[in-house]
Amino acid sequence: MAPTGGPSAAARCAESAAGAASPEPTILDVIDRRMCVGCGACSVRTGGAISVQIGRYGYYEADASGVGRDALAAAARTCPFADESPDEDQVSGEVFGEELPRDPRIGRYRGTYAGRLTDEDDIYRSSSGGLTSWFLAQLLERGEVDRVVHVGPTSGGPRLFEYRTAETPDELLNSRKSAYYSTTFASVVAELRGDGKTYALVGVPCFVQAMRLLMREDEVLAAQFGCLVGIVCGHMKASGFAESLAWQEGIAPDDLERVDFRIKDPGASAKRYRFGAWGAGSTRPATELPGRLVGGQWGHASFQLNACNFCDDVYAESADVVFGDAWIPRYEADPRGTNVVVTRTEAAERILWSGAEHGKVHLEPVTTEELAQAQAGNFRHRRDGLAVRLADDVADGKWVPRKRVAPGYRVPRRRVRLVRERRKLSELSFELFERAKAAGDLNVYLEPMRPLVRKHDRLSRPITQRLRGRLKGEAWRLVRRARRALAR
Ligand SMILES: Cc1cc2nc3c(=O)[nH]c(=O)nc-3n(C[C@H](O)[C@H](O)[C@H](O)COP(=O)(O)OP(=O)(O)OC[C@H]3O[C@@H](n4cnc5c(N)ncnc54)[C@H](O)[C@@H]3O)c2cc1C
Ligand code: SF4
Ligand code: SF4
């Protein structure tokens, strides 16, 4: 993929060396290496001098061309991927206090729960347990903040989802559900800055961290933002994800008007949600299980932003409260969906427990171990996988951001191959889909993707499944008997 932004990091290094200046702010490396997630913090910090726009591959990216060194240095302190900004451990320590218990996977925590809305109809309008939008609505109802900065579907226009503000619980509750779709808060936050109102913001972990970093640097925003709500994140998707799934359901990108990434099925487990797409003028969606569509399985990481290859924050460690999916067997079976919840402030605890006392919310304690189990795949990708990707890039002589995970190959060789295969699959999905759109032929994307997906799936299959595929009948029974005998 072609790098975007200004001159290459190597070229700038040479310039710096020639002028004997201090090293360039690493935000330029973040942009050069396409590790920008498009949050927009740098743009807000520089009053728009750094712009954030949709790039060639359908996700927001910063453009810092022509921006002076002082502005770059200020922006770097607000960029979650730049080395000049403090990491989540430091920021959460400053905000919530070092004395709060800390788990290396979850971050700091006060309460750890699983829960959901009790209203049987209402919960089907949310992605998971419905607590994220309920909590945000509570902030408005209780007058804790004047408005909420959230993500919802657009009402026309080239993008399907956007950041915007809601002033009433109804406005907020009318646009629930997860948007696996690149957005930016750049213009919304720039507009609200200094307007005399107070706000809450909901975001994936890097966006929450970016907002905290902005608040550290900008006292106007610090005074305005009363609560940051996180949602657990596996990775972010470019627009090609929605478009490629919809196209496989018969709706070409130019006709696509709306998508719902998570339509629940009352007769199936929470994991068997469907992807729905509406073409121009259609009133009913075309739907399918995403796993049956090429690139639809989360683990394939199709259209994953490259930034997510360099992220180690799963539980939005800088957020006051974070909600995710309880992917634990005892909750998965329930089609309504169940949230995992981590609170880090007393205020968040009060709101949740008041909901439980009034019968609006079902809440039960879970252990940090269960929270980690609920995101096991996420941790494999974002901790073990991250170590491999960092080690690969360091070996290639590339700049990598400072992370809380050390580069290294601590996983079996097969897993290392899987990590590399996923990265390749992810990168190729962008190029292949761009070609398919240019040719007006979906097969230009699908045909080369299928063998990549098959190879990825072969590598990710556990050894027992692979053996079973090769051995038939009696031979497999002998293997099972031997394993049982060894386990005794
Ligand atoms: C890109 C992405 C990846 C995710 N990956 C995982 C994962 O790996 N594991 C996991 O457990 N959970 C993941 N989630 C979170 C999960 O999909 C649910 O959003 C979460 O469990 C909340 O469900 P809910 O029913 O409480 O929310 P709802 O009641 O449906 O409300 C959702 C709220 O989230 C906000 N929102 C939706 N999309 C975005 C967005 N892109 N950016 C900011 N705010 C948004 C909406 O404005 C709304 O307020 C991911 C979410 C996103 C957006
Ligand atoms: S990640 Fe955010 S702060 Fe960093 S360069 Fe991109 S838009 Fe700017
Ligand atoms: S995986 Fe990390 S970098 Fe990617 S969107 Fe989620 S929080 Fe941000």
Side-chain angles (χ1 to χ4, degrees), residues 36-37 63 81 150 155 236-237 249 278 299 306 321 335 367 398 418 434 457 462 480 484 486 488:
C36 167
V37 78
D63 180 352
F81 293 94
H150 69 127
S155 52
M236 183 58 76
K237 301 284 196 184
E249 293 181 338
W278 285 256
N306 185 44
V321 59
T367 62
K398 293 176 178 162
L418 177 66
E434 190 188 42
D457 290 351
R480 270 209 331 226
R484 271 203 300 268
L486 283 171
R488 264 183 229 130

Side-chain angles (χ1 to χ4, degrees), residues 253-324:
D254 284 346
D255 289 334
L256 183 61
E257 281 203 338
R258 196 179 132 202
V259 297
D260 184 338
F261 290 100
R262 292 185 56 160
I263 302 176
K264 293 178 185 176
D265 177 349
S269 82
K271 270 210 154 160
R272 280 180 74 82
Y273 56 79
R274 298 176 81 84
F275 167 79
W278 285 256
S282 60
T283 49
R284 291 183 57 184
T287 76
E288 182 52 282
L289 294 171
R292 291 210 183 128
L293 302 170
V294 173
Q297 261 185 45
W298 201 252
H300 293 154
S302 65
F303 304 98
Q304 178 205 271
L305 268 56
N306 185 44
C308 309
N309 279 325
F310 297 91
C311 168
D312 57 23
D313 183 359
V314 174
Y315 270 99
E317 296 178 33
S318 309
D320 295 281
V321 59
V322 55
F323 301 94

Side-chain angles (χ1 to χ4, degrees), residues 50-116:
I50 298 181
S51 64
V52 177
Q53 288 152 7
I54 288 293
R56 170 177 168 188
Y57 290 112
Y59 56 88
Y60 281 99
E61 295 172 278
D63 180 352
S65 351
V67 176
R69 176 183 283 268
D70 288 350
L72 286 174
R77 292 194 296 274
T78 69
C79 174
F81 293 94
D83 286 350
E84 292 81 355
S85 68
D87 66 20
E88 291 80 357
D89 287 342
Q90 187 181 332
V91 169
S92 66
E94 286 171 8
V95 177
F96 308 118
E98 298 285 344
E99 62 288 350
L100 212 59
R102 184 180 161 274
D103 179 287
R105 299 158 299 182
I106 315 302
R108 293 192 159 76
Y109 61 92
R110 192 172 286 269
T112 53
Y113 309 102
R116 68 170 77 87

Side-chain angles (χ1 to χ4, degrees), residues 110-121:
R110 192 172 286 269
T112 53
Y113 309 102
R116 68 170 77 87
L117 295 178
T118 51
D119 187 308
E120 292 287 321
D121 294 328

